Amino acid sequence: MSRKKIVVLSGAGISAESGLSTFRDAGGLWEGYDVYEVASPGGWIKDPEVVLRFYNERRRQLHNVKPNEAHIALAQLESKYDVVIVTQNVDNLHERAGSSNIIHLHGELTKARSTVPPYNVYDIGYRDINLGDECEKGSQLRPDIVWFGEAVPLMTDAATVAASADILIVVGTSLVVYPAAGLIDYVSRETKKYIIDPHKPNVSGIHKNLEFIVEKATTGTPPLVKKLLAS
Ligand code: APR
């Protein structure tokens, strides 16, 4: 018998208990920076140095934190299910917890890319990107992050995956940033959907089979995973 498919949509909330702050709980400032100044093409043109510094700080911080029980529990689902994690997070905590199939909708902190097309992408690990660091064609490197106002190249892949889900788990996202928030609309009406978040996010549209688990990621996710592994 073929294995059932679980699609997970995760957001900043799943990494909060690892010590990475969320965006919308931060009161307009994200680790002391104006989000739109450091995560937009306009901000990059205005002050690339501050943008690079911001992401260099985030990368160093990522080096010092660990996956939590929620990331770890989701990785365990692979023993019984085909699992695809669609994450809005630019951290690498899902992969470090052992998940093997991850779509990073908004890019990855541990990658840099060129600023002229075609955009070459480079693995940089936890190293800084500085002004003057160039791609092989001589363009300044920038973080490989999807900023506000930029296209989300992996959205089509994510939507296709969502449409094939037998079970959807949404964890730690306010569901306010599109197109990612619209992924739930690609999931079949019959698919069982779980939303784990201590503050119920507003879900647009009418959805059947939707269950809210009003808990933090580390308390809400492991029991759900246990239930799914036992079913
Ligand atoms: N466990 C689970 N959820 C939590 C926790 C926790 N411990 N703490 C907070 N949350 C929830 C909040 O209630 C909120 O619903 O996590 C969500 C975080 O929402 P956002 O900060 O808006 O993060 P996210 O939905 O991932 O943002 C989407 O916006 O800024 C852009 O590109 C950035 O990928 C990001 C996108």
Side-chain angles (χ1 to χ4, degrees):
M1 210 178 74
S2 69
R3 285 151 57 104
K4 283 194 169 177
K5 183 161 193 169
I6 297 188
V7 175
V8 177
L9 172 63
S10 68
I14 194 169
S15 298
E17 291 161 272
S18 289
L20 301 179
S21 65
T22 62
F23 312 102
R24 278 155 203 92
D25 297 324
L29 285 185
W30 185 14
E31 300 287 3
Y33 293 82
D34 177 334
V35 181
Y36 296 96
E37 292 289 313
V38 293
S40 69
W44 173 249
I45 290 165
K46 196 169 134 199
D47 196 344
E49 201 165 1
V50 88
V51 172
L52 291 177
R53 190 190 323 136
F54 171 73
Y55 285 103
N56 289 341
E57 288 173 8
R58 302 285 67 72
R59 208 174 295 107
R60 285 183 214 150
Q61 183 185 33
L62 177 59
H63 202 179
N64 289 321
V65 301
K66 290 201 293 274
N68 62 46
E69 288 82 357
H71 301 101
I72 292 166
L74 291 174
Q76 289 163 352
L77 284 171
E78 292 186 17
S79 65
K80 180 167 177 188
Y81 297 91
D82 284 338
V83 183
V84 184
I85 310 264
V86 180
T87 187
Q88 299 164 86
N89 298 344
V90 297
D91 67 50
N92 58 6
L93 297 180
H94 282 298
E95 31 283 77
R96 282 162 58 192
S99 285
S100 52
N101 203 354
I102 303 161
I103 297 177
H104 277 278
L105 271 184
H106 294 163
E108 292 171 71
L109 268 177
T110 54
K111 290 184 176 166
R113 76 159 170 84
S114 45
T115 39
V116 293
Y119 300 122
N120 294 333
V121 175
Y122 304 89
D123 277 315
I124 56 166
Y126 299 103
R127 290 194 302 279
D128 285 358
I129 308 174
N130 295 304
L131 274 186
D133 291 348
E134 294 177 345
C135 77
E136 67 231 45
K137 293 201 190 81
S139 81
Q140 171 65 46
L141 289 176
R142 59 164 266 187
D144 187 28
I145 305 279
V146 176
W147 287 330
F148 290 105
E150 294 188 315
V152 182
L154 292 176
M155 187 58 199
T156 312
D157 292 2
T160 305
V161 161
S164 68
D166 296 302
I167 299 169
L168 176 75
I169 302 173
V170 178
V171 47
T173 170
S174 57
L175 291 174
V176 300
V177 172
Y178 281 80
L183 268 186
I184 193 166
D185 299 322
Y186 290 89
V187 176
S188 141
R189 280 173 67 76
E190 302 317 314
T191 296
K192 177 76 189 182
K193 304 159 193 80
Y194 300 94
I195 297 188
I196 306 168
D197 200 299
H199 308 287
K200 259 190 187 180
N202 264 331
V203 183
S204 62
I206 298 162
H207 295 280
K208 271 176 71 181
N209 295 321
L210 176 58
E211 182 179 329
F212 284 100
I213 299 171
V214 185
E215 302 251 13
K216 288 184 170 185
T218 61
T219 49
T221 313
L224 173 62
V225 167
K226 201 170 165 198
K227 184 174 101 176
L228 292 171
L229 289 177
S231 70

